[in-house]
Amino acid sequence: MGSALDIGELLSDITFPTVGSGPVCVPDAPSGRAAQKDLFAVNKRKSWDKSHEARCDFTYKLALTRRSEVDFISIWKKSIYGRTLTDIKGDPAMVEFFASNMTPVISETLGYHLADGSWAVCTSPKRRHRVKNFATLISERIAASLGIPFYEDVALCHTKQRVNATFELNVLPREANIIVFDDFVTTGQTMAAMKRLLVSANKNCVFYSAINNKL
């Protein structure tokens, strides 16, 4: 097992990749779904979503953001127009789309360090799913593409709340350096909870998100 990498020093030397900077081919919404219903309507919202649902148009906007005392790299931002997050998560084709766009960014930012045997991938806990959720499916594909382990259910969460969430360690990765991926980041509280959990277990973490869910 390799030694932990100083992420602060690494991020200061990042040369952001150009991958995705051109036109992005986004999978179309499944026929007869998004165009035929108004997901902004109050009675159509998911029970866990108490505000107007966010959208993303997948314009490439690579960024390093600090939120809730966590630095994370994202490739897209919430937008006024585009597909809703519920529609995105409900489309199986988007799993591969997210993974194929996220993997090159991770590979470019971490570079040769990924080959030293000290890296693994995990994601935030499942809250509403007993089976693999959207972020888990993407994380599996990212790990496979990078040739490093993926650990499912590293953390457990017994409540649905995101603010001030407290997670319980379920599976401790062997590797010293952990890539924590989440599909969407809004307040950063989920990533902050993952950071507290893994750092207390003497793991070094670097965080990535596909969509920065703030304008």
Side-chain angles (χ1 to χ4, degrees), residues 43-119:
N43 61 350
K44 296 292 185 180
R45 297 179 203 157
K46 294 290 185 179
S47 60
W48 49 267
D49 185 6
K50 304 303 181 183
S51 62
H52 289 308
E53 190 172 8
R55 295 174 179 264
C56 184
D57 62 7
F58 297 102
T59 299
Y60 192 78
K61 294 180 179 179
L62 185 68
L64 174 62
T65 303
R66 184 169 181 82
R67 192 169 296 147
S68 296
E69 299 186 354
V70 175
D71 296 307
F72 66 94
I73 294 173
S74 59
I75 57 176
W76 300 306
K77 288 195 72 173
K78 171 183 176 180
S79 58
I80 301 299
Y81 303 103
R83 296 181 67 176
T84 66
L85 300 192
T86 294
D87 188 51
I88 290 166
K89 285 191 174 190
D91 182 358
M94 294 303 288
V95 173
E96 184 58 37
F97 176 73
F98 272 53
S100 63
N101 279 274
M102 195 79 247
T103 299
V105 175
I106 297 173
S107 180
E108 289 282 347
T109 52
L110 297 181
Y112 67 89
H113 298 287
L114 286 168
D116 69 7
S118 70
W119 288 90

Side-chain angles (χ1 to χ4, degrees), residues 137-159:
L137 292 170
I138 297 168
S139 298
E140 280 187 323
R141 283 165 171 74
I142 289 172
S145 296
L146 294 174
I148 61 178
F150 167 68
Y151 289 85
E152 187 174 357
D153 295 329
V154 164
L156 298 178
C157 183
H158 301 294
T159 65

